[in-house]
Amino acid sequence: MWKRFSLRARIFLLLTALVCTTLLGALVTLWHTRAMDSLLTSLIDKNVASFQAAEQLETSLLQQKGYLTYYFLDGNPDWLKQMEQHQQAFGEWLQKARKSAYTEAMEGILRQIDTDYQAYIKSREQVINLYRQGEQEAGVKRHWEVRRQFVDLLNLCERYKLMHEYAISRARTESQTQARFINAFALAALPVVAILGMLLAYILIKQILGPIRSLTLETAPASREAPGPDEVKALSRRVHSLIENVDQAQSELERSQEHLLQSGKWAMVGKLAAGVAHSIRNPLTSVNMRLFSLKRSLAMSPSQKEDFEVISEEIRHLDAIVRNFLEFSRPPKLKMQRISPSDVVDAAVELLRYRLESYGVAVKLLRDTKLPEILADPDQLKEVLANLLVNAYEVMVSGGVITIREEQSLDPALGQTVIIRVSDTGPGISESVRDQLFQPFFSTKEEGTGLGLSIATRIIEDHGGRLDLEANEDEGATFVITLPLRED
Amino acid sequence: MARPLLILKQGKISVANHCKILIADRNRHVRELLRRELGAEGYQVEVARDGHELLNRLDGDDPPHLLILDLEIPYLDELEIWARLKDRQPPLPVVIHSFLPEYPTQLTVPLAAAFLEKKGDTDELKAVVAEVIGKHYPRQFRRVREGL
């Protein structure tokens, strides 16, 4: 069920639930505070005032007690005057009580008090009149009646006061109930908020922050540096650089597709040309054989002899071109074995030792230790090196030094590699020639077939390596063979 | 009882001092030159211009003692040629005379008595032929070799 929601939906749901719970809590608290406030206000403003009025009512009633008896005892009218004052006070408090009464029952009891009080006053007036007229006996009799009325009235006042006490205590109970409810609600809301918060934190950490961190580490460049405090920023930077890489790869792909298309055309042309070369070879050999036969039997003048030699020479040249071209277009399969390229270098130098000496060219070999073994075809590799050496001594017409430097290196594209540099002290390679140098049939030599470097490049590329040129004008040339050092 | 007959045949050839060489090459001019050159050496030379002719000669009444084979002759079924030569009695030595780098994996190559790259120089071929004959027929053709 939970899994059905997307990460986004889950976070939104949790966030909404969290906010709702918190808002609800806040609203309930707010409402509770207001309720408490209004309860307090009503308690103080209404109940307390009303209760005070009730108390004062009772007090002012009690204060009227006894004056009639005093008047009966000594007939002093001052007692009546004082009583009248208290009577007036009672009237005022009754008015106040009526104003502050807030229930039907209270109003009812106050009406009762008023009616009874009026009756009591009336009876009292009668008693006073009787005493004034000197009718003591009837007065006393009536006086007892008035006293009974007074006690009833006092009871009523007491009841009215009790009613207030009851109302106050009821309000308190109500507020306590409410407080208990709020407490229960808060107790329930607290764990809900805590659980929702923890869930949110769990999702944030487990499904957002954690993945971001691991992504940042995964996409980190090879230097393995720490991603820094802001992983999102680092990630965004890396994603951008990844996008750039993708763009680069895209354009490289397009280039190589173009190259492939081009090389597809070339392959076809090459096949045709190879067929032609092969067909040419047969009659060419026949011509060669006849020339050989002629040379043996013919008595020639010196100029005839020269013509004959030139024909033979050119035929040989043609044959070399055709042979090289066929080798280039139909490369033999590599016979791989584990071998140190240093051994191949030694073999190539040994192979050409005599010719190098005849050209007056010295070979300087810069080797710290023997290069590690790689998977290679020693014969093909030797051909490459011999080719480079021949190219080198042929440009150094008046002698020079060929330097062969062996080293190991880390190549960004090929990984661990072995590198063989073949440098000459010849005239160098001019800018204009440099681009064409590796193209088939390009040659600066009179007798060249223009295929030597093409074949060499192809052999090195078949080994998974690279053949590059480092050349300066006037300062000799350096051909660099880079071969991958595979650990398998 | 084919054996005595074969011995008889060999003896006859030996007496006649004729060593017979079959040249199979696609180029008529090459065939003819080699016929002339080897004929001058005292060999009896026959030529075949394609695979069919080659098979006919091999199956003929008077088979050659040595085969000079160009691998590029038309209708050459190498598998069939080899099947026929494998158990042949007496064994027929083959000198492959062809362009070198193009057929390194063909069947016949490792089974041939010699492999010679086709070049202008015919002396080399002559030397190889003499050497192979000397090795395979040490008695029959001594005089031919001595006459070189």
Side-chain angles (χ1 to χ4, degrees):
Chain A
M1 171 72 184
W2 182 241
K3 296 265 176 209
R4 274 219 319 256
F5 294 112
S6 70
L7 180 61
R8 224 176 143 77
R10 277 186 236 177
I11 287 174
F12 275 129
L13 269 174
L14 276 174
L15 210 61
T16 312
L18 200 63
V19 167
C20 282
T21 316
T22 315
L23 275 181
L24 201 68
L27 279 175
V28 167
T29 313
L30 218 65
W31 169 74
H32 179 61
T33 314
R34 283 195 100 147
M36 285 305 284
D37 190 44
S38 76
L39 189 72
L40 214 65
T41 313
S42 78
L43 262 180
I44 290 167
D45 289 1
K46 208 167 66 190
N47 294 31
V48 171
S50 187
F51 179 70
Q52 217 174 17
E55 222 171 25
Q56 291 297 334
L57 198 68
E58 195 183 10
T59 311
S60 61
L61 185 67
L62 272 174
Q63 276 168 345
Q64 290 173 47
K65 197 184 165 187
Y67 289 111
L68 196 61
T69 310
Y70 303 152
Y71 179 69
F72 164 71
L73 289 177
D74 60 8
N76 192 345
D78 284 349
W79 298 118
L80 291 181
K81 229 178 257 166
Q82 278 187 35
M83 189 176 71
E84 216 148 299
Q85 275 171 11
H86 288 300
Q87 191 181 325
Q88 226 166 27
F90 181 83
E92 279 164 24
W93 281 116
L94 189 63
Q95 283 303 315
K96 274 191 192 164
R98 276 200 153 151
K99 266 185 211 154
S100 62
Y102 48 91
T103 61
E104 198 74 21
M106 284 177 181
E107 275 165 13
I109 206 163
L110 279 174
R111 264 199 304 280
Q112 178 83 41
I113 287 173
D114 195 19
T115 324
D116 285 7
Y117 187 67
Q118 294 306 327
Y120 162 69
I121 298 283
K122 211 178 215 171
S123 301
R124 212 170 53 184
E125 298 287 329
Q126 282 169 5
V127 172
I128 291 167
N129 279 337
L130 282 177
Y131 281 147
R132 272 197 191 133
Q133 285 156 18
E135 290 173 44
Q136 300 287 350
E137 224 161 301
V140 170
K141 218 175 167 185
R142 195 90 176 118
H143 196 154
W144 281 114
E145 185 74 14
V146 169
R147 190 160 291 168
R148 195 185 45 77
Q149 273 180 327
F150 179 82
V151 171
D152 284 348
L153 203 54
L154 195 63
N155 277 341
L156 270 178
C157 283
E158 186 68 30
R159 247 175 74 196
Y160 184 58
K161 209 176 82 179
L162 274 174
M163 200 178 259
H164 277 95
E165 274 176 13
Y166 177 68
I168 286 171
S169 91
R170 214 178 49 193
R172 186 188 296 143
T173 321
E174 241 169 61
S175 114
Q176 268 170 359
T177 317
Q178 218 174 66
R180 261 202 293 282
F181 167 72
I182 293 289
N183 274 348
F185 180 82
L187 273 177
L190 265 178
V192 170
V193 170
I195 287 169
L196 286 175
M198 281 196 291
L199 263 175
L200 194 63
Y202 174 80
I203 285 186
L204 279 177
I205 289 169
K206 192 87 181 167
Q207 297 190 296
I208 296 177
L209 296 177
I212 282 179
R213 188 177 174 79
S214 55
L215 256 182
T216 317
L217 288 176
E218 271 170 37
T219 55
S223 53
R224 293 250 165 268
E225 57 180 52
D230 192 345
E231 282 157 349
V232 174
K233 203 185 257 173
L235 185 64
S236 131
R237 223 177 17 242
R238 264 152 215 173
V239 165
H240 277 295
S241 84
L242 276 181
I243 287 171
E244 265 169 46
N245 285 354
V246 166
D247 284 346
Q248 232 167 359
Q250 181 83 28
S251 58
E252 248 165 55
L253 193 68
E254 274 164 21
R255 254 208 313 279
S256 71
Q257 269 172 346
E258 212 170 291
H259 178 74
L260 207 64
L261 205 71
Q262 207 68 25
S263 58
K265 275 188 209 156
W266 267 110
M268 182 118 125
V269 172
K271 236 180 209 167
L272 278 171
V276 172
H278 186 84
S279 306
I280 287 173
R281 221 177 157 195
N282 198 307
L284 208 59
T285 310
S286 177
V287 171
N288 236 340
M289 284 174 171
R290 298 289 168 159
L291 280 172
F292 186 78
S293 166
L294 259 183
K295 189 182 172 189
R296 221 172 22 192
S297 53
L298 215 60
M300 289 180 281
S301 68
S303 64
Q304 277 176 326
K305 206 162 192 163
E306 197 196 318
D307 292 348
F308 187 87
E309 285 302 327
V310 168
I311 292 172
S312 302
E313 186 57 43
E314 294 295 43
I315 295 267
R316 265 201 297 281
H317 190 189
L318 272 176
D319 196 48
I321 292 173
V322 169
R323 210 174 38 238
N324 271 351
F325 179 75
L326 283 171
E327 192 187 335
F328 172 66
S329 63
R330 295 176 189 172
K333 242 191 143 64
L334 296 179
K335 295 188 194 84
M336 294 296 207
Q337 61 184 75
R338 296 211 70 89
I339 186 161
S340 165
S342 298
D343 291 337
V344 182
V345 170
D346 291 341
V349 173
E350 189 55 43
L351 182 76
L352 295 169
R353 179 171 300 284
Y354 172 72
R355 276 205 271 173
L356 287 163
E357 274 169 16
S358 72
Y359 271 81
V361 170
V363 174
K364 197 161 95 188
L365 186 59
L366 299 176
R367 174 188 296 162
D368 295 335
T369 51
K370 231 166 108 169
L371 289 174
E373 287 189 353
I374 64 165
L375 263 185
D377 182 332
D379 288 336
Q380 298 285 320
L381 214 54
K382 192 167 77 182
E383 189 180 331
V384 172
L385 278 160
N387 203 309
L388 296 182
L389 290 173
V390 169
N391 282 347
Y393 72 63
E394 281 187 350
V395 296
M396 294 189 284
V397 200
S398 49
V401 179
I402 295 176
T403 308
I404 302 175
R405 182 194 295 272
E406 297 177 0
E407 54 197 52
Q408 286 186 65
S409 169
L410 193 69
D411 187 272
L414 302 175
Q416 202 70 37
T417 55
V418 298
I419 291 177
I420 303 166
R421 291 167 193 277
V422 180
S423 313
D424 60 56
T425 52
I429 296 167
S430 70
E431 195 87 47
S432 56
V433 168
R434 226 169 284 169
D435 292 339
Q436 298 166 277
L437 201 65
F438 288 93
Q439 284 176 9
F441 301 114
F442 176 81
S443 180
T444 53
K445 296 180 224 162
E446 258 173 55
E447 303 272 297
T449 62
L451 287 165
L453 276 180
S454 296
I455 292 173
T457 305
R458 200 210 56 234
I459 290 171
I460 296 299
E461 280 174 0
D462 284 352
H463 280 81
R466 259 195 338 252
L467 180 62
D468 299 305
L469 169 67
E470 287 172 4
N472 305 310
E473 222 149 336
D474 311 325
E475 274 184 51
T478 302
F479 285 90
V480 186
I481 300 173
T482 309
L483 291 167
L485 180 66
R486 297 199 193 90
E487 292 296 336
D488 51 328
Chain B
M1 295 297 278
R3 219 163 249 271
L5 185 69
L6 279 170
I7 290 165
L8 187 72
K9 256 186 173 177
Q10 277 179 358
K12 201 175 89 189
I13 292 161
S14 180
V15 171
N17 213 5
H18 270 162
C19 176
K20 191 167 170 185
I21 295 175
L22 176 60
I23 297 169
D25 197 291
R26 69 175 301 148
N27 188 321
R28 180 161 55 93
H29 302 297
V30 173
R31 281 200 304 270
E32 293 310 319
L33 179 79
L34 292 182
R35 186 210 285 274
R36 194 179 81 195
E37 294 281 319
L38 289 172
E41 295 291 313
Y43 297 106
Q44 185 188 337
V45 182
E46 281 189 339
V47 292
R49 66 174 169 191
D50 58 29
H52 300 319
E53 270 192 31
L54 172 62
L55 288 180
N56 282 339
R57 300 272 183 218
L58 291 182
D59 292 342
D61 285 341
D62 194 8
H65 299 98
L66 181 95
L67 170 63
I68 296 175
L69 179 62
D70 174 12
L71 293 173
E72 281 172 51
I73 56 170
Y75 314 118
L76 176 69
D77 186 341
E78 272 196 62
L79 277 172
E80 197 186 344
I81 293 282
W82 175 239
R84 290 192 184 211
L85 293 180
K86 201 173 69 169
D87 298 318
R88 194 181 171 90
Q89 281 301 334
L92 175 67
V94 180
V95 173
I96 292 179
H97 185 233
S98 203
F99 294 124
L100 188 58
E102 295 185 52
Y103 298 93
T105 55
Q106 298 243 7
L107 273 172
T108 325
V109 178
L111 308 163
F115 190 110
L116 187 69
E117 190 185 359
K118 209 186 251 187
K119 280 188 281 199
D121 185 349
T122 47
D123 287 349
E124 218 170 308
L125 180 64
K126 283 183 232 167
V128 168
V129 165
E131 190 189 324
V132 170
I133 285 175
K135 202 151 86 188
H136 280 80
Y137 308 98
R139 284 187 298 274
Q140 289 100 308
F141 304 121
R142 203 177 328 156
R143 260 201 281 166
V144 173
R145 289 193 292 129
E146 278 166 0
L148 284 178

